[in-house]
């Protein structure tokens, strides 16, 4: 299609100002600082701009001039759909978006596939700062963020001494859950955990792999569990821990099946997330076992689906995490220069999926 050679050149800020007989600043204020103009003058500027086809100030040129992008970058080391599929991520995203709204900032999602190392999206992101959501300490995307001369806040993991952070005390939270199970009488346990490193592993996680995990949250939870059960004489090296790379209910179900095959006598399956626990719950029931009469299932997060099924879990304030991370980032100008940390409270939820273990006789002969 041949464009007409007689088409009118698009209006510019200068030509619009000349048409109206006002300064360029007046036109700019109509878009960027409307409080500086009377409603009547602003309407006249916008109506004329519409008639002349002026699209408004160039946002790229504006960001170059002000050195502000007006947006916060959220780094997710997952595929983009994860932010809208995983309930904890959705809650965190909502909280962060609320903080951005309060500060008149946009939000740019920067997904980073955990099995790829292309950091171009981080380098090219036009943002005023980054919120890094739960990444391993050796992630190349995190390293790329740290190279950018903009403020950064980390949510959950990793914990870096020079960077602001928002999180919870994962060890203390899951240790409270462990002690609840210990009080119920559980000694034969198994664990289903989320990925421990960037390299895929779907199977047993040795004590050495647990202690060297690059995902600090999972490492802290496993360490706390081992400490809690060691207090009552349980040898952690004899506790089966099954790792799953993908965070889905299907992964939780297959991990639970693997656990019960490795040790049919376990009385409780402790999952380090509700998503994994919901999958484990379905698999246990599919095999004809009753919860909690035959086996106890616990999770971590406190998502809505967990509450609906009565899962025993640890509830963490995921929405408030996102809001706190956004506020910490956007208030970075008020920082004293020392790294700040916000630790939020958690709550043990004693649902209907945890009970006292049955004796050997009851397992074989009981109702």
């Amino acid at each position: 299609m041949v464009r007409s050679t007689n088409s009118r050149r698009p209006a510019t800020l200068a030509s619009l100002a000349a048409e109206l007989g006002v300064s360029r600043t007046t036109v700019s204020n109509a878009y960027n600082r409307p409080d500086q103009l009377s409603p009547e003058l602003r309407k006249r500027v916008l109506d004329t701009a519409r008639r002349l086809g002026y699209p408004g100030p160039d946002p790229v040129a504006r960001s170059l001039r002000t050195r502000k992008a007006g947006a916060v970058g959220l780094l997710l080391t997952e595929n983009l759909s994860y932010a809208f599929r995983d309930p904890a991520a959705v809650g965190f995203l909502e909280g962060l978006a609320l903080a951005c709204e309060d500060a008149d900032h946009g939000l740019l999602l920067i997904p980073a596939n955990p099995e790829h190392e292309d950091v171009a999206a981080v380098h090219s992101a036009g943002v005023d700062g980054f919120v890094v959501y739960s990444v391993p300490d050796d992630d190349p995307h995190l390293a790329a963020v740290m190279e950018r001369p903009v403020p950064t806040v980390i949510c959950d993991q990793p914990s870096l001494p020079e960077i602001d952070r928002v999180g919870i005390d994962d060890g203390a939270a899951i240790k409270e859950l462990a002690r609840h199970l210990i009080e119920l009488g559980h000694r034969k346990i198994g664990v289903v955990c989320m990925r421990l490193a960037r390299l895929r592993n779907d199977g047993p996680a040795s004590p050495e792999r647990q202690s060297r995990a690059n995902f600090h949250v999972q490492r802290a939870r496993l360490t706390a569990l081992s400490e809690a059960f060691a207090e009552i004489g349980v040898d952690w090296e004899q506790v089966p821990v099954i790792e799953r790379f993908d965070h889905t209910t299907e992964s939780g179900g297959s991990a639970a099946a693997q656990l019960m095959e490795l040790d049919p006598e376990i009385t409780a399956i402790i999952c380090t997330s509700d998503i994994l626990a919901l999958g484990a719950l379905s698999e246990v029931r599919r095999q004809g076992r009753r919860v909690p009469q035959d086996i106890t299932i616990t999770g971590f997060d406190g998502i809505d689906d967990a509450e609906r099924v009565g899962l025993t879990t640890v509830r963490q304030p995921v929405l408030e995490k996102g809001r706190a991370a956004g506020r910490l980032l956007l208030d970075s100008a008020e920082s004293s220069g020392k790294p700040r940390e916000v630790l939020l409270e958690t709550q043990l939820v004693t649902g209907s999926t945890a009970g006292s273990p049955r004796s050997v006789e009851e397992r074989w002969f009981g109702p």
Side-chain angles (χ1 to χ4, degrees):
M1 181 176 178
V2 179
R3 179 177 296 178
S4 170
T5 57
N6 296 322
S7 61
R8 185 174 61 184
R9 295 179 62 184
T12 64
L13 185 145
S15 64
L16 178 58
E19 174 78 14
L20 289 161
V22 300
S23 68
R24 296 185 186 186
T25 300
T26 297
V27 173
S28 177
N29 285 343
Y31 291 91
N32 301 320
R33 302 179 64 190
D35 58 302
Q36 300 296 305
L37 305 182
S38 67
E40 296 79 10
L41 177 56
R42 182 170 187 261
K43 182 178 185 303
R44 187 160 69 92
V45 171
L46 297 180
D47 287 347
T48 305
R50 205 173 296 115
R51 176 170 57 82
L52 297 180
Y54 176 63
D58 184 350
V60 175
R62 181 175 181 273
S63 66
L64 288 173
R65 183 174 65 255
T66 63
R67 303 185 69 83
K68 293 290 184 182
V72 168
L74 173 60
L75 178 68
L76 292 162
T77 53
E78 297 286 349
N79 294 320
L80 183 60
S81 60
Y82 184 87
F84 304 95
R85 183 181 69 249
D86 181 83
V90 168
F92 176 84
L93 186 60
E94 180 182 357
L96 179 57
L98 289 171
C100 289
E101 286 177 3
D102 290 343
D104 293 325
H105 269 62
L107 182 59
L108 176 66
L109 300 186
I110 307 168
N113 189 305
E115 296 183 280
H116 295 86
E117 297 193 359
D118 184 4
V119 298
V122 174
H123 289 149
S124 63
V127 296
D128 297 321
F130 287 95
V131 172
V132 177
Y133 182 56
S134 199
V135 306
D137 56 17
D138 64 342
D139 193 287
H141 305 91
L142 172 63
V145 165
M146 303 307 295
E147 293 171 355
R148 296 283 302 271
V150 295
T152 299
V153 172
I154 292 175
C155 181
D156 287 337
Q157 59 189 339
S159 179
L160 301 178
E162 71 277 15
I163 302 299
D164 292 343
R165 176 180 174 270
V166 174
I168 61 174
D169 189 336
D170 287 277
I174 206 163
K175 192 170 282 189
E176 184 181 7
L177 173 64
R179 286 173 176 154
H180 173 62
L181 298 184
I182 289 168
E183 289 173 2
L184 289 174
H186 291 281
R187 302 297 184 269
K188 293 281 290 182
I189 63 166
V191 179
V192 176
C193 71
M194 296 169 64
R195 73 173 73 123
L196 301 179
R198 289 192 298 127
L199 293 179
R200 180 177 289 272
N201 176 55
D202 289 304
S206 67
E208 180 184 6
R209 181 174 176 82
Q210 296 171 41
S211 66
R212 297 175 61 182
N214 296 114
F215 283 89
H216 291 193
V217 165
Q218 296 300 300
R219 188 172 72 204
R221 293 178 190 176
L222 292 171
T223 298
L225 287 173
S226 69
E227 291 171 350
F229 282 95
E231 292 172 0
I232 58 165
V234 173
D235 181 2
W236 191 253
E237 291 197 1
Q238 302 305 312
V239 174
V241 176
I242 302 299
E243 177 185 356
R244 283 296 182 264
F245 190 84
D246 295 322
H247 189 225
T248 63
T249 54
E250 292 78 11
S251 293
S254 65
Q258 191 172 358
L259 265 181
M260 292 184 290
E261 184 178 352
L262 285 172
D263 187 353
E265 297 302 312
I266 60 173
T267 63
I269 297 177
I270 302 172
C271 302
T272 62
S273 82
D274 285 348
I275 291 292
L276 295 176
L278 292 171
L281 185 64
S282 296
E283 176 60 23
V284 166
R285 288 173 172 166
R286 189 191 69 79
Q287 292 193 14
R289 302 198 193 193
R290 296 173 301 170
V291 178
Q293 294 92 332
D294 299 323
I295 194 164
T296 281
I297 306 286
T298 67
F300 197 109
D301 283 332
I303 64 175
D304 290 344
D305 284 348
E307 183 176 348
R308 276 191 283 270
V309 303
L311 185 69
T312 293
T313 187
V314 173
R315 181 183 295 129
Q316 60 169 319
V318 290
L319 187 146
E320 188 53 37
K321 265 188 182 181
R323 194 197 299 267
R327 287 175 173 170
L328 203 60
L329 181 74
L330 295 166
D331 291 343
S332 59
E334 301 177 11
S335 172
S336 63
K338 296 180 179 179
R340 299 165 295 173
E341 183 174 47
V342 176
L343 285 181
L344 302 174
E345 296 293 322
T346 59
Q347 178 187 5
L348 175 64
V349 180
T350 53
S352 60
T353 63
S356 298
R358 307 179 80 188
S359 67
V360 173
E361 289 78 11
E362 287 176 319
R363 286 200 294 277
W364 285 105
F365 303 111

